[in-house]
Amino acid sequence: MSQPVLEIRNLNVDYGLGDKAVHAVRDVSLTLHRGEVLGLAGESGSGKSTLAYGLTRLLPPPGVITGGQVIYHPEGGQPYDVLALTDRKLRQFRWAETAIVFQGAMNSLNPVHKISTQLTDVLRAHEPKMSEHTRGARAREMLKLVGISPDRMDAYPHQLSGGMRQRVMIGMALILQPQVVIMDEPTTALDVVMQRQILGQLIELRERLGFSVIFITHDLSLLVEFSNRIAIMYGGRIVEEAPAATIYRDALHPYSAGLLASFPALRGPKRELAGIPGSPPDLAGMPSGCSFHPRCPKAFDPCPTTIPVLGPPADLNSAGRSVACWLHPALEIS
Amino acid sequence: MTSTKAPSGEVVLEAVGLTKHFPVRRRLRQIFRKEHEAVHAVDDVNLTLRRGQVVALVGESGSGKSTVARLLAQLYPRTDGDIRLHGVSTRVKGGRPFREYAARVQMIFQDPFASLNPVHTIRYHLTRALKIHGNAENLDAALHDLLTRVSLTPPERYLDKFPHELSGGQRQRVAIARALGARPEALLADEPVSMLDVSIRLGVLNLLRDLKERLNLAILYITHDIASARYFADQTLVMYAGRMVEGGDSETVTQTPAHPYTKLLIDSAPDPDRLIADIDPLEEDRGNGEPPSLIRPPSGCRFHPRCPSAMPRCSTDLPVPLQIGDTPGHWAACWLYDSPEVAS
Amino acid sequence: MTIPTSSIEQVIPGQGSMAQPEEAHPSKRKRQRFTFIRNKKAAVGLTIFGLYVLFAIIGPWIAPYDPSARGNDLVQPPSADHWLGTTHLGQDVFSQILVGTRSVMYVGLLAGTIATVLSILIGVTAGYLGGKTDDVLSAFANVILVIPAVPLMIIITSILNNASDTLIALVIGLTSWSWNARVLRAQTLSLGRRDYVEASRATGEKTWRIIGFELLPNLTAVIASGFVGTVIFAVLSEITLAFIGIVSNNGWNWGTILFWAQGQQALAQNAWWWFVPAGLAIAFLGTALSLINFGIDEFVSPRLRSAGKTKVKTASGRTVRMRIGFTPVLSSKGGEPS
Amino acid sequence: MRYFLQRIAFYLFTAWAAITLNFFIPRLVPGDPVQSLIAKYRGQLSSDAIQSLYVLFGLDKQESLWQQYLDYWKQIFQGDLGLSFTFFPAPVSQVISQALPWTVMLVGITTIISFMLGTGLGVLAGWRRGSWADGLLPVTTFFSSVPYFWLGIIAIYLLAGPDSFFPSSGGFDSGLVPAWDQYFIPSAIQHSLLPALTILISSVSGWILSMRNMMVTVASEDYITVAHAKGLSERRVAVSYAARNALLPNVSGFALSLGFIVGGTLLVEIVFSYPGLGFTLLQALGAKDYPLMQGIFLVITISVLVANLLADVAYLLLDPRTRKEG
Amino acid sequence: ACGDSPNANNADSANKSSVDFLKIGMPNGTQTENHNPFAGTSSANALGYKWMIYEPLTQWNPVKPADPATPWLASSVKWADDYKSVDITVRDGATWSDGQKLTADDIVYTYTLIKGNDALNQYAVPYDQITANGNVVKLTFKSSQFVNQNKILANTPIVPKHVWEKISDPATDVNKNPIGSGPYTLKSFTQAGVTLSVRDSGYWQDLPKVKELRYVSYADNSAQATALANGESEWSFVFIPNAQQTFVAKDPAHHKLWAPGVLGIHGLYINTTVKPFDDPKLRQAMNMVINRTDIFNQAEAGYFHPEIKSVTGLPPGAGDAYIAPEYKGKEFSVDVEGAKTLLQGAGYKLNGKTLSDPSGKPVKIKLSDPAPWSDYQTTLEIIKSNFAEIGIEATVEKPNQDVWDANVQKGAFEASMRWTNGGATPYDIYQTVMDGALKKPIGTAAQQGNFGRFESPEATAALKAYANATSDAERTKQMNTIQKIFVEQAPMLPVGADNVGAAYSDKNWTGWPTDADPYSGAQPTQPYALQIVLKLKPANS
Ligand SMILES: Nc1ncnc2c1ncn2[C@@H]1O[C@H](COP(=O)(O)OP(=O)(O)OP(=O)(O)O)[C@@H](O)[C@H]1O
Ligand SMILES: Nc1ncnc2c1ncn2[C@@H]1O[C@H](COP(=O)(O)OP(=O)(O)OP(=O)(O)O)[C@@H](O)[C@H]1O
Ligand SMILES: [Mg+2]
Ligand SMILES: [Mg+2]
Ligand code: NI
């Protein structure tokens, strides 16, 4: 496997302080490798966005990072902890190394500035020496890259369609050629045709530019198609992580399996859909033990009491996958 | 519920040439001009809801699906066409006739988080639905019955809760229960699961299917997820920019789509079986892969500007529904299937 | 496209409410009912306000003197006999303030109620019904808004023969509803598009029931905040009117006190005790009401809520403020970079 | 454009309705200018003078209200607002035009300063929640709850005096004639300081509060987070992203308050004997001077509407979303 | 360099050590430029500067109304015995400020103008013929003008014919460039005030020492009072609450108040048609308990409306000469016991704190006056507590001014403080209160007087006889009758007198009229203000 570019270690994120805190992300460790698309799935409220924003300390109050590290490996440099950076350093780090494409593009663009301003703003902040002219040229270039004619430079966000706005955001994310691009449900607001267009484009760009992507969605079938590896989140934890095809064929965690069985297939034989019984957990009153156990059809003794650790399953010999489930207890790493 | 079991397949609600144009407010300087600008949200839509059947209406965002539902629920006055309830043309605006209509045709909204009033309990919501339609003779029993019907058991646990105390799926069930409170014959479900979590969608859809079978309801299922239409509906209609472009048996439409738009839709749907490597190359029509303006819809076939197999005729002549192949009831409004064209 | 709420329809700062309540996260609604009172500002405001209400009720009974009774100590500074000194007629200022509380509170609350009821009737109806009704009603509200309120009140009170407190409240109420009506209209417009309104229509509810049972309960916070705003405005208006000499018979209110004090040039006579306390009484009442309003605003718009502590201790012992864009990191335990 | 035409139609209607109300309301008031004049002089004017005054004011002729209303519109279209009774036979337009500049200067400039100051502080308070700026709020709230006139009178008592720098009344030193010269201007400024301060103190908190609330609201918008994510400087995010958007709703509030300048600060003008329009209006009210009342109401109505129109224009300039046709 | 500026001189003079201007203030609000001396609404009238530019034929002293008038533009005045005509000899040597001579033509023109123009005929004087014979002007009237003599001669500004005949509508002209015979001419006008400067030459007397008069119009009483206290204003006529402390004490050496009473009073009008107040006994009793000293000190700040002592209602000083022999020395004093006895005798019963009338009904009275008139309001509060002592329960109402005014005129009131007209004789006072000729039915506005609907044919006849009398003896006789009715019937309970005084500072200028030398009234807006200005001398000379 190729080199890691971003390592998340034991990240914990709370909303609020003290007893009332909601533990939205618990003890998450995850590694993103250079050039790969890492899919992050899980139902609503499982902490996907929180994890993504937590990486670069962008959570709004009352979000607090209560522990963990985010180690960034710059190309040919010494790795460092993003969470430990000073404000100034962090500002420099942002966008230049990791860029984020948010869920709603309309809300991500400042409605009162032209998109050219918003594009060049980044350059002005990160490459102050660049000339006005070069900046403009670069912004135009990016727009062309994402398939928007450069003469739309002077348009305001509201003058663009949803798809175009989302493309502008993607272009903006790539303008500094970052190593990591985080995409939080970049296409949920769009319809399928547009979604496919944009994702197709993104994959192509990734091949050309070589950045890594963390791709968040709850549409598992989309993820399976588009990502290299998939991590499934439930109740603030990662419950399974494996290459996309592996998960699709053979999900180990009952939750992942249930998730996959919830999507009707368009092609192939009509299969019976099982779904997952029960409703998502409340983060404030998380069940003890494996948080999925109240809904799990296969729950047994240890599930309600002990939290399973995420690790390569001991009973199977499939490389590059890990799961947190007592059905497949983790290999003891000693 | 005591409704006598009507024969399955009986036509309940029918739309004939249903049309809705939302007037665009005229500018002052246009005040003297004759023509009125309007959003052609729905044009000439025909659809039939039968007892014990689910008709799916699919199409991209803004294609007019919700408008069709609201027209059928008589929440909007229609511009043209006809809505027939058991073959009788109806047009109701308010008051008693509306309530009588509502007793037979009920609508379920897309967003269960928004369609229940946060200040009222479940009991209030359901009681109102029952009372308005005079189904409240034995209120407690009726309430229990409703909640049981939508699998919210035991009913006592839910009756005095506020919407916010329920999960999305439970709320949508309450919304369905409310619609059932009127003892309707037809249910118009406008994207009933798109706001729900993946893991609970299925439960709601299964419930709807179950109700259809048990109560012999006619259901219009609106969605943009064509896969769920295949799974859930007996018939599927595809809508594009305010017009129906294809219709037929769900399995046929999804497996052998005829209209280029349906094809595009199906090709675009995520498919886990496809591998990351063989993603289609970037399409040519990137820039205009967007739905057309409905104020000035393209002439002829509304899809022609995006259509890969557009012919000159497409931009001038409005396609008529044409029978496709030999599957009965499968049609598409596309000149590709006009016999002379096919012949040539 | 939507035309952004234009100017006249916008909320003026300081007046009425800035409340633009996006629906609070539904699962928190119940808890918020109590949070409102737990809000520190609102609690302080309510406490002060409660005191004023108490004095409005018992003021005339506990007042040491008849506020109009003349005494022999003319323009005396505060003393044990007269806690806030006396007027040029030897009247007890403290008693006047105590007794005056009732009129101020009465007029403020009554006018607030009248204006609120009117604004609900007009604003909600206009917002919900839309179309021609809306055009007519909002034009009407705009006209009232455009005409300056205080002069209008002066004119109207002078049409009336004998200005009783109730009449003054009526006039203030009748001239000051338009602002809230606009706010409510805008609010109703956005609520009216919500699915639950549409849904209850689809169920077959009657229009008045939709307005009364579906819309209004959801507008309570906005209405409450509008009410509080109007009460502030009404109190200030009544006092202003009293100050320029439009008062009710025999009525003592703080404006009357200021009127007499100014007419007698209290400050030039160095009789600060005559002039200052009444003004302070107004200011504290106003502050209390504003505090309540903040509470409501924050209740309605959770973003405005200053969520408890905003300062956090980090691992390194530093205190950092919670702020947007830089999430505080409390500790960073974990493995060493490899 | 369409948006504009709509607005203009709306303005015209509002203007018509307001002007009509302005016409009828004063006429409902009992009493007439002559009686008011006599009463005003309380014995200084002999009751013999009544007849001559009726003749003088032209009130000896009877005309139907409707006829008067028509005449009133005719006059308005001719730009003639009639003659004032209080200042008989000065034309209303003259009375207004001599008072208006004072109000506009004093209250206008103060409102602008108050708006800018309040907005600035509000941006700070909203951006740095929990810092010292938040502590400012209770204080300003208190001051904004104080009646203008009370504050003004206290200010006069405490700050103005025989040897004080602050004069207690008037718009300029007696003996000076309004002119743009080195004697008059400083005097006018000196006279405006206290009233301006009074208005400032009691009005600034409204701006602080609304701006703060808008900032707080805007600060949780996604685009702010994006701006942070882009690594822009704090200043740039606060000013160009947050404040710029938060300002929009305040602009129209500002325009509205500009419109209310004219009628809004009646009492400050009275307390400080400031020769402005508010004070003139009070005189007109006391004297049953309908023409003057109507004239002033007209000015107020028009200025409110013009201010709104300006707000629309400002919105148009500040908010690109409005610019879109259709 | 700044010579062009209209303010250059003023600014300089403010720094000079010796002051050559006088700052006069009035609480009359903003002004618009109008120098028309005939218009009651003009700035010239409101601030009083018309009397510095225009002069009357005679000057009379309201402080000593019985003294003969001083000739002014007339060198002598001769009334016929029946007061239906007057001969006026025009002074020689008076010139208009544009240099033209003042002649009998100008006087004839002025009076003809007034006669022919109802709007200018402020006192509704029935002019008949106006003719000139050389430098003698003869005015004739349709009725006796004894009671109006000073209004006609001393209150009418004489205007230049050559200027005014060119004015198309003298009633509404603003007289932008006033040309008068007085010692001052207009220098500048602003809405806050007016500056007059002294003429270079051509005035028929010695020019005054005050080179410049600066009139300032303050917004209201309190602003004016503050200005007086601060020294910003040197001369004004305004009610100053607690004047000793708020004004005099600020500079005891220079700040002076002088408020001589005149023949015009303020009192409590009682609606004599309302039961039981139609009973003169009750009114008398009420009259006996009013504490005028309290009112004088607490409501009128100890100076503003001089306390009326004589039971005839005539003010001290100005009224002394007219008091009937039987009432000489008879003064009001609070006599609660006397009042009770009187009431008992008339069939009223006082049980505990409530007085009931002979029919057994408790006696209650509503006192009303507009709220902004704080001295009246204070007076009513005092009267209310005075009445309480004899068991009359009074309530104070504060209708707004217009409502009050309408109510008083229509007789829709029970009791109200109000003023009477004033004049050169007590006639105006009594006429306002008792003249049956002015009486209107309840509900119809009585604009000129007799608001209490007092019915006394005797009084009406006496008033008429007084106005038309041709001899002093006749007048005295009628006056005595009138006073007797007034005292016995008490149609109105007199409280205080009007004053013609002023608050002034003699820091810069001395020579003001005082009790010791009451050579004229002291209000800055009256004709005699010119007499004062002519007498003023710099304080440090
Ligand atoms: N400001 C907040 N205060 C308290 N809890 C919060 C806050 N923001 C988010 N949460 C909680 O944190 C949890 C994780 O939220 P997050 O937004 O990361 O979920 P998500 O997986 O991105 O969901 P979605 O798919 O809906 O975007 C949720 O349960 C949410 O309720
Ligand atoms: N009240 C209305 N006034 C004017 N135009 C409207 C109105 N309602 C809908 N439209 C327009 O009609 C068209 C169809 O809207 P509709 O809501 O029916 O689409 P939809 O297919 O339900 O889309 P979605 O999947 O987003 O719900 C859209 O272009 C919309 O802008
Ligand atoms: Mg998310
Ligand atoms: Mg829809
Ligand atoms: Ni538009």
Side-chain angles (χ1 to χ4, degrees), chain E residues 22-192:
Chain E
L22 176 68
K23 292 180 288 188
I24 305 165
M26 281 305 285
N28 286 339
T30 45
Q31 299 296 325
T32 50
E33 184 158 18
N34 183 349
H35 313 299
N36 187 330
F38 298 117
T41 52
S42 66
S43 53
N45 201 43
L47 298 179
Y49 64 87
K50 70 174 180 184
W51 296 117
M52 303 295 163
I53 298 174
Y54 297 98
E55 293 170 296
L57 291 172
T58 63
Q59 293 272 17
W60 74 290
N61 182 356
V63 185
K64 296 183 157 185
D67 284 4
T70 315
W72 206 257
L73 284 182
S75 56
S76 76
V77 167
K78 188 148 173 31
W79 283 93
D81 280 346
D82 63 359
Y83 281 86
K84 282 187 171 175
S85 68
V86 62
D87 289 322
I88 302 153
T89 314
V90 181
R91 179 175 299 283
D92 231 15
T95 62
W96 299 106
S97 55
D98 61 0
Q100 300 225 23
K101 251 182 84 67
L102 185 148
T103 65
D105 273 356
D106 293 315
I107 293 164
V108 170
Y109 175 79
T110 302
Y111 284 97
T112 315
L113 187 68
I114 292 172
K115 179 191 163 194
N117 203 327
D118 275 350
L120 300 186
N121 196 350
Q122 264 194 58
Y123 305 105
V125 176
Y127 291 103
D128 194 6
Q129 267 153 26
I130 303 162
T131 50
N133 185 0
N135 67 344
V136 176
V137 175
K138 187 179 184 73
L139 305 178
T140 65
F141 308 92
K142 295 186 180 121
S143 60
S144 168
Q145 295 302 309
F146 175 75
V147 296
N148 285 338
Q149 49 178 309
N150 290 320
K151 290 177 185 164
I152 295 167
L153 297 185
N155 270 9
T156 303
I158 303 300
V159 297
K161 181 183 177 192
H162 63 277
V163 175
W164 282 73
E165 64 190 359
K166 292 185 194 112
I167 293 176
S168 57
D169 184 358
T172 59
D173 193 86
V174 296
N175 191 22
K176 195 92 183 167
N177 185 19
I179 304 289
S181 61
Y184 290 94
T185 55
L186 180 71
K187 185 176 171 199
S188 68
F189 177 90
T190 68
Q191 66 261 55

Side-chain angles (χ1 to χ4, degrees), chain B residues 243-265:
Chain B
R243 287 186 169 275
M244 295 291 182
V245 292
E246 182 166 359
D249 175 59
S250 294
E251 196 61 24
T252 318
V253 170
T254 50
Q255 298 310 310
T256 51
H259 196 281
Y261 174 65
T262 318
K263 285 183 183 154
L264 175 64
L265 206 59

Side-chain angles (χ1 to χ4, degrees), chain B residues 6 60 87 116 131 145 150 169 222 224 248 253 260 280 285 309:
Chain B
E60 65 190 343
L116 296 178
K131 279 198 173 151
D145 185 44
V150 296
I222 295 179
H224 54 242
V253 170
D280 317 319
D285 59 347
S309 36

Side-chain angles (χ1 to χ4, degrees), chain D residues 16 57-58 87 124 205 207 221 264:
Chain D
W16 167 77
F57 290 166
F87 304 104
L124 268 180
S205 88
W207 299 120
E221 292 287 349

